[in-house]
Amino acid sequence: MEELRAKYLQQISEAADEIALEELRVRALGKKGEVTQQMRQLGAMSPDERRSFGPALNKLKDELATALAAKKIALSDAALDARLKGEWLDVTLPSRARRIGTVHPVSQVTEEVTAIFAEMGFTVEQGPRIETEWYNFDALNIPDHHPARAEMDTFYLCRENDDQPLRVLRTHTSPVQIRAMEKIGAPLRIICPGGVYRADYDHTHTPMFHQVEGLALDTDISMANLKWVLIEFTKAFFEVESVDLRFRASHFPFTEPSAEVDIRCSWDDGKLKLGEGDDWLEILGCGMVHPKVIAAGGIDPEVYQGFAFGVGIDRIAMLKYGMPDLRAFFEGDVRWLRHFGFAPLDVPTIHGGLSR
């Protein structure tokens, strides 16, 4: 029994894993194990021999069972320690950036434009995307023969009978000017961002795109006020210290005088740099609101005057963030969105910064 005890206690202490330990248990205490066979021989012994060997065998059996249980716990603890070391993670380290969804550049730029004009006291007004001819053309002093009213340029909606007013998908956000004047009156300062529709399609035009309209009315507004607003807006949006804008005479039915605005720029290895160089790039149209438009909004043009401007949101987004093709804005390509999109919490503010 002493030899069995020494042999199995040594082998138990040297067992490398739970499989080897189970094999030792079977050899020692299994149905055909050595200690079990010794227990079965007690029946053939005399009473005196049983009284001598019986307690010793029971003690050996209990000692081996205890050693086996202790070794099993030790092996389990060692395996758990090894697993924990392999799966260890330092939760104090910064997590890897994993963007969940993105904000579309059109939405981001709209927020940037809104933040800039909010600092200047402009509020946001919205209007329907399906407009009547009155709001989209007539109230804006656009005559019947104007090319913009042709079916090749404008999406007209079917009507059930001739008594219904003719409706169109709005071709610009200018109808919101009329609705705002009817709703608010004068004085007012508003911007009107939103989607518009025209029958055109190439790398710089799509049938649907986005504009932001601006309108300011008061008794003493001049072209100088318009120039200051546009210069400050351009500097803030493109995040440059200074800009050089060129106002070219133009014609829009709803403004008089009218101007198209170019920004000084240069091209360096295919990259656009704003505010420097010898080139000019058109970015928006503007002018003093035509008296007929003010009157169509229910305001006396003899008392109030103002300025208006229109900026293509998609266009200035392309210029600022280097997007070469406008059509990609509407394709829903996840790879494009991940590259040009913005983090959901990247909220633009004047003081905190407009862009990432």
Side-chain angles (χ1 to χ4, degrees):
M1 282 189 294
E2 188 59 32
E3 291 178 1
L4 288 176
R5 177 181 178 278
K7 180 179 72 172
Y8 280 113
L9 287 179
Q10 181 178 357
Q11 291 180 359
I12 289 171
S13 65
E14 295 173 353
D17 51 46
E18 294 189 26
I19 296 176
L21 189 65
E22 177 63 15
E23 292 176 353
L24 284 173
R25 186 194 67 79
V26 171
R27 289 204 304 269
L29 304 179
K31 291 183 179 180
K32 297 180 180 181
E34 291 187 75
V35 176
T36 304
Q37 294 298 328
Q38 293 289 337
M39 297 289 289
R40 289 175 179 174
Q41 293 178 12
L42 289 176
M45 294 181 182
S46 64
D48 292 335
E49 290 175 327
R50 285 199 296 272
R51 282 193 294 270
S52 174
F53 288 102
L57 281 172
N58 283 326
K59 181 180 179 182
L60 173 61
K61 180 181 177 182
D62 293 341
E63 189 174 358
L64 294 180
T66 301
L68 286 166
K71 184 65 175 179
K72 184 175 182 179
I73 293 173
L75 290 173
S76 296
D77 291 343
L80 179 60
D81 289 340
R83 180 181 175 185
L84 291 175
K85 289 180 180 179
E87 298 177 356
W88 179 80
L89 176 66
D90 187 353
V91 296
T92 64
L93 290 174
S95 62
R96 292 188 296 269
R98 183 173 297 177
R99 180 179 292 177
I100 302 176
T102 56
V103 175
H104 196 282
V106 169
S107 299
Q108 183 73 13
V109 170
T110 301
E111 292 297 323
E112 292 179 15
V113 171
T114 301
I116 294 170
F117 283 110
E119 288 287 316
M120 301 182 190
F122 287 76
T123 59
V124 177
E125 289 292 324
Q126 300 285 345
R129 298 194 181 199
I130 298 177
E131 279 288 9
T132 63
E133 274 195 307
W134 162 256
Y135 284 106
N136 200 79
F137 297 122
D138 298 334
L140 295 168
N141 197 37
I142 300 176
D144 292 340
H145 61 271
H146 197 279
R149 300 181 76 143
E151 291 185 359
M152 66 180 66
D153 290 327
T154 300
F155 293 104
Y156 284 87
L157 277 66
C158 295
R159 52 182 177 176
E160 297 179 357
N161 54 66
D162 294 339
D163 295 332
Q164 289 183 331
L166 195 58
R167 297 181 301 166
V168 301
L169 295 180
R170 66 182 183 186
T171 59
H172 43 193
T173 49
S174 300
V176 185
Q177 292 185 25
I178 307 299
R179 293 183 177 275
M181 285 189 281
E182 292 176 340
K183 173 185 172 183
I184 302 172
L188 84 165
R189 274 182 288 181
I190 61 164
I191 60 170
C192 324
V196 297
Y197 306 84
R198 293 180 192 172
D200 204 353
Y201 189 71
D202 57 37
H203 74 286
T204 57
H205 299 85
T206 56
M208 173 190 170
F209 55 103
H210 300 83
Q211 283 187 339
V212 58
E213 196 87 10
L215 172 67
L217 291 178
D218 212 324
T219 56
D220 56 353
I221 288 181
S222 68
M223 197 78 175
N225 302 127
L226 170 62
K227 292 183 68 174
W228 180 86
V229 166
L230 295 180
I231 290 171
E232 292 302 311
F233 162 73
T234 308
K235 289 194 297 185
F237 179 76
F238 290 109
E239 298 177 274
V240 294
E241 292 295 329
S242 63
V243 294
D244 190 3
L245 296 184
R246 180 175 69 179
F247 288 73
R248 290 182 292 106
S250 185
H251 171 71
F252 304 117
F254 30 81
T255 54
E256 181 60 39
S258 304
E260 290 180 340
V261 181
D262 303 331
I263 185 171
R264 186 183 292 276
C265 65
S266 64
W267 297 90
D268 184 10
D269 294 331
K271 294 182 179 180
L272 177 66
K273 292 185 177 180
L274 298 173
E276 59 184 57
D278 298 324
D279 293 328
W280 295 91
L281 184 67
E282 180 188 340
I283 57 171
L284 59 91
C286 64
M288 299 299 291
V289 183
H290 198 289
K292 290 184 178 180
V293 176
I294 297 176
I299 296 173
D300 186 355
E302 297 293 331
V303 178
Y304 291 98
Q305 60 187 25
F307 63 75
F309 57 86
V311 183
I313 292 176
D314 315 79
R315 180 172 178 79
I316 60 175
M318 292 172 69
L319 293 176
K320 183 174 182 179
Y321 295 111
M323 304 165 189
D325 196 326
L326 180 60
R327 291 169 291 191
F329 280 59
F330 305 95
E331 291 174 351
D333 191 320
V334 174
R335 297 166 298 177
W336 186 89
L337 289 171
R338 286 174 179 167
H339 181 72
F340 287 110
F342 294 79
L345 298 180
D346 188 7
V347 180
T349 63
I350 297 297
H351 305 291
L354 291 179
S355 57
R356 56 191 170 190

